[in-house]
Amino acid sequence: MKGKAAGFILAFCVTLFAFADVPVRKEEFIYSILAFNGRDYSGTFAREEADTIYLIAGVDNFLTAKKTFVYFWPITGEWRTDTQGLDQEMSGTLEVYSDKEQPVKLTPEKYTYYNVRGVYELNWNVAKGKEADKVRSHYEDLVDEYWKAISEYYNKRAEYESRLDKITGEITERRKRGEDVTSLLEELKTMKPPARPQPPEEYTVPPVPVKSGFIINLPVGEYRIRFLTPDGFIMQGSEKKIVVFEKRREGGIGYEIIPGDKWTRPSESKTPHSVLYVDGTTDLYLRPFYQDEFNDLYYEKMRRNDSRGNPNLMKWVRMQQVPEARIEMSPMDGNITTVTEEPFYVEQVQGASLGYRIVPFDAEGKHEGREPSIRAFHIPIERERGVLKISLFDREGKQILSGKRQIRVIPGAGFKTGLFLLAFVPLLVMGVVLFFRRKRYSD
Amino acid sequence: MNLRIHAARVIARRKTLETVLNPGFYIAQTAGLLLGYILITGFTGAIDSSGFSFELNPVYDFVGRAMVGAFGRTFVDKLFSEGPFLLALYISFLPSFFYLSINSVFRFSFEKKVGAIELISYGPADGTSCFLASYVKDILLTLLTIAILFIYFAVAAFNNNIVLGSRFLYSVPLILFTSSALYAYGILAAVATDNAVSAISLYMGIVIFFLIILMGTFSIVSGYVSTLSGVFTRIAGWLSPLFYWNLSLTGVESGKAGFFITGIVILSVLTGIVLFASHLIVGVKGVRK
Amino acid sequence: MIKTRGLVKKYGSFTAVDGVDLNIPTGEIYGLLGPNGAGKTSTIMMLLGIVKPTRGDIFLFGEPYNPKRLDLRKRIGVVPENHPHGMWSWMTAYEYLEMFAELFEVKDKERRIEKLLSQVRLSEVINKKIGEFSRGMLQKLSFVRALLHDPDILFLDEPISGLDPLGIKQIRDLILEENREGRTIFISSHLLSEMEKICHRVAIISRGRLMAEDRMESLLNNLSRERKILIDLESIPSELPDEVKRLSYVLDCRGDGNTLVITVPREGDYRKGLSEFLIKKNLIPLSIKEQMVSLEEAFVTITKENVEMLAAMGESR
Ligand SMILES: Nc1ncnc2c1ncn2[C@@H]1O[C@H](COP(=O)(O)OP(=O)(O)O)[C@@H](O)[C@H]1O
Ligand SMILES: [Mg+2]
């Protein structure tokens, strides 16, 4: 690991020295990939040397054929594109071969994708062709309307404020003159500021600007693709394998665990077997989410084509929050308590020890006008050693079995010396055995 | 057959006693427990308010980085998801395992060379009785080792409020069956060669071969080892006990008890086949010289 | 009890045993004699089923021999040429013998071990580590081990080589005693002088070939071309040996204390003529004995042509 890092650094320095700050760029044919990863769309690209593209089965993924500059960025150890220098989309057709079926010829299609707001987070839709334009223009209309409403709002607001100034000015003046101000006060009381218009709430992710690309939606399997230029030539470096895979299991429950003192460093707990060990110094804030299980290598490569993964391991991938859930905690004393999701606010701790503190969100009080930092389940941790069992219930009140967890507080000091000495018991036994053995020889 | 088994029992008792009277066995046990101690205390030392993160302990940081580099983050996360005992079990088992298996390979070769096996074969026994005795001894002492480790870890777990973990518990029988097949390979190496040095070289060669296959299975580093491993796996992956060990453990992880049982059954069959092959080789090569 | 027909053992192209026919009768002490490298151990190993014969048949206890018959091995006791005791040096003598007693499923093993150990006068060291045993003690321990299960036949491969005279005598007594109890004993040795004192029947092997096989006396008689006559006198005048030599049938003569040692041809009885010659000289023979030719001398006769072998014998003495 370290050797490799050192190697990279050395290679990097040499590169710096030789090319004075400019990494080697090569013009290459690439597939720019927008792959649906189960949660959202993530972009990556397959450079000429890459032989395989990884995609999830049964979802729309978007490929574009491009010429661009590609270079290796040694600091992060990844390949990047330089689209500033060159970003030329290629027109042509994409041929997809499989062992079983006839090759399919694809031509670029217009598309957009968007996520609609709902109880669950993931409500992804893809619109293609004319529909894409329609969806996008609907959204643009909404945005236009919103902007219109906003400018109207500002006009009204200005009107309101000038009227307010006027009234208050008149009141002071009339008072000075000793006149009656009742009618003006009446007006002041009934005056209301104009309501600020809400941005369109239909989407959590609004439709992206309509683009054009090859839409690939394949069942599980292995395929080969190649790109043909309009005059029918096979593009050099365009022949690749596509591995289409699916999740092995779904609907697992993972927890994001936020310690009270380090809210920037959450960790995740993936399976009911996994135990959460803590030192008991702060409370925990849990955020349960649904997760799906994928092949480690396939998933990593789908997200970033030049990354590495383990082909023989499966891993759980976070998908979306469990909405309107409920957690039951049973500590060792057996008194079950129910916890619900609450909003919290992260306050900066004043003074010498910089840090954060998570406090309940006080909408009417000191946090008025702000948004809560997190919504989570607050799990108080007792300092004395113990086991806390957690079960999760969904919005219908049904228990989700894979949401079970154990939280264990490890004792600070423990029994280290004893454990250390215990390791020498075999030697003690050896002494005894050999002593008796020697006695046996002598008599 | 009966006489052969009887002889194996008689000799196994002596071999067990002999090992138990040897300081090496106890030193290996203590070495294993100390490794366990380091891993357990390292684990508890790497826990803070947000849970376990290996960067917090120097030992774990070193091991963890190396493993992330070689096998990826997912592998390491899974390894420690229940606590330190899964890794500790395998690591702590190694000193005793290598002590027992190398000792057996060496002893068997040496006994063959000096004529001890021949002497026993003048009686109602043969080379097979002798290697079976050696195998039985290894199994008995492996059981003892596992029991010692189990007790030690149970104490440590109780004391630090850590769970042993389901994969640890499944590993307890699994480690026995896996090492059993490896002991059988040790016997094969000893009967197939004519002196102790080549027997141990062959045995270590076999073990390293299996390890490369296994490492390759988990490796995320594309390169020499994984290419080699890929070739090895295709040719001889099915010969490796570690292959079935992995099958079983993967079964446990994905909640498929069937895979676990299948792995154990195959490991037993593999042990039987390797022992039978050794039996045939002893029959052909004889026990003299 | 044991018979072999045309037994051959080749190690690669080298023939260690070359067509050996043995016939070992029940209840006898049978000696397989020959110099080092003659093929004795190879022969025994084939009889024990440890080494596979290249050719030939073996009949053990009247049956064609099958080395897989482990049960037959319970009727055999073996004291091998080399003792790998080092392997068990951590055991006490008792533990060592107990292991073999269990292997052979000996009944009442404790009593049996104690009895045999006292027979070879090793009772004292029953709880001593065998790693601390002397070579003679180990040899005796090996005997005890071979006898634990009361075998029908005892194979002894070079049982006395490397032992001091006292050790040799103890082992010889043990062999004779075991034989008196009716046990068949098969001994291989290159130390011929010792064997002629105990063997009833011998086979002489050289370079893998059986040179002779017969009862002891007839072997000696048949094979010697000359004989010695020993005559005790009151005193021997100095010129007497030379005078005797001049007799036509006397091949050699010398004085040995008060005994006149006269070598004569194998055939014919010269005792009468010799005593008449002495009486004529006024010397009175106190006794006249004919000396049997020693096995060693017979052996030399048989294999005289082999100079290398003689050298080997000289070395081993
Ligand atoms: N395993 C073997 N491989 C090759 N040659 C052997 C082997 N065992 C014995 N020999 C050779 O066979 C000959 C007879 O050996 P052996 O039977 O031990 O003789 P003896 O017991 O009469 O001294 C010797 O020349 C010896 O070197
Ligand atoms: Mg010999």
Side-chain angles (χ1 to χ4, degrees), chain C residues 11 14 16 35-42:
Chain C
Y11 295 110
F14 174 75
N36 283 330
K40 305 180 296 292
T41 302
S42 299

Side-chain angles (χ1 to χ4, degrees), chain B residues 288-289, chain C residues 11-12 14-17 34-43 81 157-158 188 205:
Chain B
R288 200 168 151 75
K289 261 235 183 120
Chain C
Y11 295 110
F14 174 75
T15 308
V17 177
N36 283 330
K40 305 180 296 292
T41 302
S42 299
T43 305
E81 203 170 2
D157 196 2
E158 310 275 9
S188 98
I205 187 169

Side-chain angles (χ1 to χ4, degrees), chain B residues 161-242:
Chain B
N161 198 26
I162 306 175
V163 296
L164 286 172
S166 63
R167 278 186 296 157
F168 171 89
L169 295 174
Y170 277 106
S171 287
V172 168
L174 195 54
I175 207 168
L176 178 71
F177 284 94
T178 310
S179 52
S180 145
L182 287 170
Y183 293 137
Y185 274 106
I187 286 164
L188 188 70
V191 299
T193 51
D194 287 330
N195 64 61
V197 174
S198 43
I200 289 178
S201 311
L202 178 60
Y203 176 64
M204 288 315 289
I206 291 174
V207 171
I208 290 169
F209 177 80
F210 292 156
L211 273 178
I212 287 179
I213 291 182
L214 184 75
M215 303 272 259
T217 313
F218 288 115
S219 174
I220 59 164
V221 186
S222 52
Y224 187 64
V225 172
S226 62
T227 315
L228 196 67
S229 161
V231 175
F232 284 177
T233 310
R234 229 157 288 146
I235 302 170
W238 58 276
L239 283 172
S240 169
L242 301 180

